[in-house]
């Protein structure tokens, strides 16, 4: 009798964890995207004004578009996870979508992080100077966006592991 009750609770517990983590992932990805999109600062260097915006960097644009894709895919898999609890054969497809979404999240984070690193520290060998000394607020907001992006990746990675485990058991 106890084994019967535990067997029913396990899929519901799994669903609760899946739903909670997917909602957190969507929140982190949307926060990362929103902070990056609204990030803009104007600075003056040696009397010449310049503007720092996310859209001037292909890596930051990629981060924004990838976060949009992560939100959409995670919303799709949120519905799919609810269906997978009732139809156990759907877990492998859920795992596959989670894996693709995780790859998208880490690739976007990596590209944007590399761009942010050059912006903050420069590259002496290439002759690129750091710009964060001139647009400190812009760089701070990029850091916040990257932190939220990394949080969404970590959540997606954990979700992928949980989904793989569930696919193996069901």
């Amino acid at each position: 009798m106890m084994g019967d009750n535990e067997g029913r609770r396990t899929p519901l517990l799994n669903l609760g964890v899946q739903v909670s983590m997917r909602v957190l992932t969507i929140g982190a990805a949307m926060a990362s995207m929103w902070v990056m999109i609204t990030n803009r600062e104007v600075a003056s260097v040696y009397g010449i004004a310049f503007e720092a915006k996310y859209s001037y960097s292909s890596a930051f644009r990629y981060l924004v578009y990838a976060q949009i894709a992560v939100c959409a895919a995670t919303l799709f898999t949120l519905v799919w996870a609810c269906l997978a609890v009732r139809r156990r054969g759907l877990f492998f497809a859920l795992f596959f979508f989670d894996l693709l979404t995780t790859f998208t999240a880490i690739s976007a984070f990596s590209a944007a992080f590399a761009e942010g690193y050059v912006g903050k520290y420069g590259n002496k060998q290439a002759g690129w100077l750091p710009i964060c000394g001139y647009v400190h607020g812009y760089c701070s907001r990029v850091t916040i966006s990257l932190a939220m992006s990394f949080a969404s990746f970590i959540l997606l990675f954990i979700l992928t592991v949980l989904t793989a485990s569930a696919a193996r058991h069901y």
Side-chain angles (χ1 to χ4, degrees):
M1 184 174 243
M2 186 154 207
D4 232 7
N5 191 19
E6 184 179 312
R8 273 190 20 220
R9 273 190 297 172
T10 301
L12 293 178
L13 179 64
N14 184 18
L15 178 64
V17 169
Q18 291 266 345
V19 168
S20 299
M21 290 190 70
R22 289 179 197 286
V23 168
L24 287 172
T25 300
I26 291 170
M30 287 183 76
S32 171
M33 177 185 57
W34 182 256
V35 169
M36 188 62 79
I37 287 174
T38 59
N39 196 6
R40 177 184 175 276
E41 188 171 341
V42 177
S44 179
V45 179
Y46 303 118
I48 301 170
F50 75 95
E51 180 180 36
K53 282 175 69 171
Y54 89 95
S55 60
Y56 295 158
S57 163
S58 59
F60 292 162
R61 281 194 317 267
Y62 175 54
L63 178 70
V64 168
Y65 295 139
Q67 293 299 351
I68 291 169
V70 164
C71 287
T74 306
L75 192 60
F76 172 74
T77 58
L78 178 63
V79 173
W80 194 276
C82 294
L83 295 174
V85 168
R86 295 194 175 130
R87 293 178 160 183
R88 296 174 189 236
L90 299 176
F91 272 107
F92 181 75
L94 185 61
F95 163 72
F96 182 72
F97 283 119
D98 283 346
L99 189 62
L100 289 178
T101 307
T102 303
F103 289 158
T104 302
I106 194 62
S107 70
F109 168 77
S110 298
F113 184 82
E115 183 89 12
Y117 184 87
V118 170
K120 184 165 184 141
Y121 298 108
N123 185 335
K124 291 181 184 178
Q125 291 81 8
W128 298 336
L129 299 175
I131 65 159
C132 285
Y134 304 105
V135 284
H136 182 69
Y138 177 81
C139 289
S140 296
R141 289 185 293 276
V142 165
T143 302
I144 291 167
S145 178
L146 288 173
M148 297 307 292
S149 176
F150 189 71
S152 71
F153 160 71
I154 292 295
L155 288 166
L156 283 167
F157 180 76
I158 293 168
L159 268 169
T160 302
V161 171
L162 290 175
T163 306
S165 176
R168 190 176 58 123
H169 286 77
Y170 296 116

